Amino acid sequence: MAGSGVFAEIRDGDGVFRYYSDGEWKASASGKSVPIINPTTRSTHFKVQACTQEEVNKIIESAKAAQKLWAKTPLWKRAELLHRAAAILKEHKAPIAECLVKEIAKPAKDAVTEVVRSGDLISYCAEEGVRILGEGKFLVSDSFPGNERTKYCLTSKIPLGVVLAIPPFNYPVNLAVSKIAPALIAGNSIVLKPPTQGAVAALHMVHCFHLAGFPRGLISCVTGKGSEIGDFLTMHPGISCISFTGGDTGVAISKKAGMIPLQMELGGKDACIILEDADVDLAAANVVKGGFSYSGQRCTAVKVVLVMESVADKLVEKVNAKVQKLTVGAPEDDCDITPVVTESSANFIEGLVMDAKQKGATFCQEYRREGNLIWPLLLDHVQPDMRIAWEEPFGPVLPVIRINSVEEGIHHCNASNFGLQGCVFTRDINKAILISDAMETGTVQINSAPARGPDHFPFQGLKDSGIGSQGITNSISMMTKIKTTVINLPAPSYTMG
Ligand code: G3H
């Protein structure tokens, strides 16, 4: 059960979950807490500490001190600790998954998958770090005009310092460890600010790192109100790098952060282009999986279907047949469609649906909502003047736009301010490559729905979808800087012969 057994110390006597600072679980001096509302029951399920700016200062001070020693810890030892944390995390997948069910209404099986995937990510990160951080470059000067071979240049990768990780509500464990593990293997310390919904799952995950035996202060986790500590954290002079996944807040962070590396993933409007020669069964299965898994609350969800008119009826019919079979209800029952994360999200989704209705979209199902639970809805004949054609619902409602040419599909995709992923369904690989090259998105999937994983693949968004590239190798590199040492010789030195 959450907050019991090995996790007992992360909760105080009043049942409020503690924050983690300098290797200890603490109650905030504020005496205040932040409630976490269960999306299904819409009542308070957990409470976390409302930390103060003073507490943030202390955390960053100890993170800076711990990082100095950690940078001197041999790479293989860092990897060993990460492997240990991964094993502990997997061992305790049940209580962590339970938190995900209660805090973010993630279907029970998906919640377990998120924790196991996170353990695998940590282990892969440890291995990749050992490989890539142990290598550098050697350059000689006479390859540049005007130079003789009098300089030998050695490069290596060194840590940045304190990395601030801000994951989103939809993957509070996986998208936290995708920042924590690369930061740690690269010799950085980490300050985690989890999302409010998902904070308790994240605190449990952090405790697995604590149990693994990482040094005091190297990892900390601060909870609280964004209005109190949000800007304070992101603008703090002690922070050397920010890795953020979420929504528009990321744009604000990028404007306020100083001269530090940023890794940002800020959502998408992933288009699914379906051509006349597509395998319509395959496309329909992927539209449903891509559009409705975790109730559409994934940045990589299919968020607009652009289907050639000639196959549109067939596709819509097949998608509808599958939507019909989706189970709707509680995450505990492992339903496909579960309540969306907050009431304001549900209201926003409803606003998009009503706008489309008013402007003449065809509803393939009756629109139905109870509290935060919205039944899956396919909207056909969506037109570009409808908000849902462009905005990201982050819910189980999916617009279909019928197109008359490939160019029309590409144009719609590229007119979006987002550019995360997209996909194309066709049996013609040559056409697929041309379309992929034309789509202004960080990734294009051919004959499959968009997805971030496998987690070692590069993952990046263009335009408003983000800054930088993620994926294990890219994240490790992004959380390092290059250090160069040049050996200057008194006379040119050439190899034998
Ligand atoms: O929500 C954003 C995530 O990066 C999407 O990850 O494709 O594994 O669902 P996913």
Side-chain angles (χ1 to χ4, degrees):
M1 214 185 102
S4 64
V6 292
F7 296 106
E9 66 179 293
I10 77 172
R11 201 186 332 209
D12 72 15
D14 299 328
V16 181
F17 283 86
R18 295 179 164 124
Y19 75 105
Y20 187 62
S21 164
D22 208 20
E24 286 171 21
W25 291 97
K26 299 177 180 170
S28 169
S30 74
K32 293 185 190 148
S33 62
V34 180
I36 296 173
I37 312 293
N38 180 327
T40 312
T41 62
R42 292 195 292 156
S43 55
T44 300
H45 197 92
F46 294 129
K47 285 182 186 165
V48 292
Q49 306 292 325
C51 292
T52 63
Q53 296 184 351
E54 190 46 42
E55 284 156 351
V56 169
N57 275 335
K58 281 195 187 133
I59 277 177
I60 294 177
E61 271 321 300
S62 36
K64 275 162 71 178
Q67 191 272 328
K68 299 272 176 241
L69 294 174
W70 183 243
K72 296 188 173 95
T73 303
L75 199 43
W76 67 265
K77 269 198 185 169
R78 294 183 213 160
E80 198 174 76
L81 279 173
L82 282 167
H83 282 300
R84 200 178 300 159
I88 296 171
L89 187 74
K90 283 183 172 179
E91 186 188 336
H92 298 293
K93 58 181 184 286
I96 303 175
E98 181 202 322
C99 297
L100 295 171
V101 168
K102 302 297 181 194
E103 291 184 280
I104 61 164
K106 186 162 272 200
K109 270 192 209 139
D110 293 352
V112 173
T113 304
E114 175 172 347
V115 183
V116 174
R117 171 183 180 182
S118 301
D120 292 339
L121 193 157
I122 297 169
S123 294
Y124 192 104
C125 220
E127 287 161 19
E128 183 70 346
V130 167
R131 279 192 289 269
I132 68 170
L133 293 166
E135 287 177 355
K137 268 191 174 178
F138 171 62
L139 292 93
V140 289
S141 51
D142 64 332
S143 46
F144 198 87
N147 287 277
E148 295 219 79
R149 191 172 291 214
T150 51
K151 293 173 188 288
Y152 288 173
C153 174
L154 307 170
T155 74
S156 60
K157 295 186 186 109
I158 59 168
L160 297 174
V162 182
V163 173
L164 172 62
I166 310 180
F169 81 84
N170 61 348
Y171 285 97
V173 174
N174 183 264
L175 280 170
V177 302
S178 74
K179 303 170 191 319
I180 294 171
L184 292 178
I185 193 68
N188 300 288
S189 58
I190 192 100
V191 175
L192 174 67
K193 165 65 182 75
T196 299
Q197 307 278 146
V200 175
L203 291 167
H204 281 72
M205 172 272 294
V206 167
H207 193 55
C208 296
F209 283 82
H210 171 81
L211 294 172
F214 280 87
R216 291 173 85 88
L218 189 71
I219 304 163
S220 31
C221 185
V222 59
T223 54
K225 294 199 170 93
S227 55
E228 171 71 14
I229 57 169
D231 280 356
F232 190 73
L233 267 167
T234 55
M235 295 166 75
H236 200 288
I239 297 295
S240 318
C241 168
I242 302 174
S243 178
F244 173 92
T245 307
D248 292 348
T249 316
V251 178
I253 292 174
S254 68
K255 286 184 182 146
K256 289 179 196 162
M259 290 223 336
I260 55 172
L262 301 177
Q263 187 181 49
M264 298 257 159
E265 202 256 277
L266 313 179
K269 185 73 184 170
D270 293 10
C272 175
I273 300 180
I274 301 168
L275 304 191
E276 282 142 334
D277 68 343
D279 176 338
V280 180
D281 285 306
L282 179 71
N286 276 278
V287 164
V288 174
K289 182 168 166 260
F292 296 101
S293 52
Y294 188 35
S295 307
Q297 298 175 107
R298 297 164 54 236
C299 53
T300 49
V302 169
K303 297 210 179 92
V304 59
V305 177
L306 302 163
V307 57
M308 290 294 277
E309 181 67 63
S310 55
V311 287
D313 284 346
K314 202 166 145 196
L315 178 92
V316 167
E317 188 192 320
K318 285 180 188 290
V319 171
N320 277 332
K322 289 181 189 298
V323 168
Q324 197 71 26
K325 291 189 185 139
L326 294 174
T327 53
V328 182
E332 288 84 353
D333 298 335
D334 209 30
C335 288
D336 299 312
I337 304 295
T338 55
V340 296
V341 69
T342 58
E343 190 173 341
S344 65
S345 306
N347 292 343
F348 176 76
I349 297 162
E350 186 164 292
L352 295 181
V353 169
M354 291 309 147
D355 173 77
K357 185 174 192 174
Q358 203 194 344
K359 292 176 181 156
T362 306
F363 281 26
C364 299
Q365 293 78 26
E366 195 190 337
Y367 173 68
R368 196 173 156 198
R369 171 183 170 187
E370 276 172 27
N372 293 4
L373 185 62
I374 294 177
W375 269 251
L377 175 65
L378 192 73
L379 299 100
D380 198 0
H381 302 288
V382 164
Q383 301 297 324
D385 66 332
M386 300 174 187
R387 287 174 57 204
I388 203 163
W390 305 104
E391 295 181 42
E392 192 184 16
F394 235 66
V397 300
L398 182 59
V400 176
I401 298 180
R402 294 169 176 238
I403 54 172
N404 291 302
S405 67
V406 172
E407 290 71 24
E408 202 183 322
I410 294 170
H411 175 77
H412 186 93
C413 167
N414 291 352
S416 170
N417 57 318
F418 290 115
L420 188 60
Q421 292 208 357
C423 60
V424 53
F425 285 85
T426 171
R427 287 188 168 93
D428 184 338
I429 187 65
N430 298 325
K431 239 190 238 173
I433 296 290
L434 292 176
I435 294 170
S436 168
D437 286 345
M439 286 169 82
E440 292 170 2
T441 60
T443 301
V444 174
Q445 304 268 351
I446 297 172
N447 292 325
S448 187
R452 171 166 50 107
D455 289 335
H456 66 305
F457 281 10
F459 178 55
Q460 54 283 313
L462 308 183
K463 300 191 274 187
D464 288 354
S465 285
I467 300 174
S469 181
Q470 300 174 68
I472 289 171
T473 314
N474 288 348
S475 291
I476 296 172
S477 296
M478 184 267 168
M479 291 175 186
T480 62
K481 55 192 162 197
I482 303 290
K483 171 75 189 272
T484 297
T485 301
V486 180
I487 301 166
N488 289 276
L489 303 173
S493 173
Y494 288 93
T495 46
M496 285 182 295

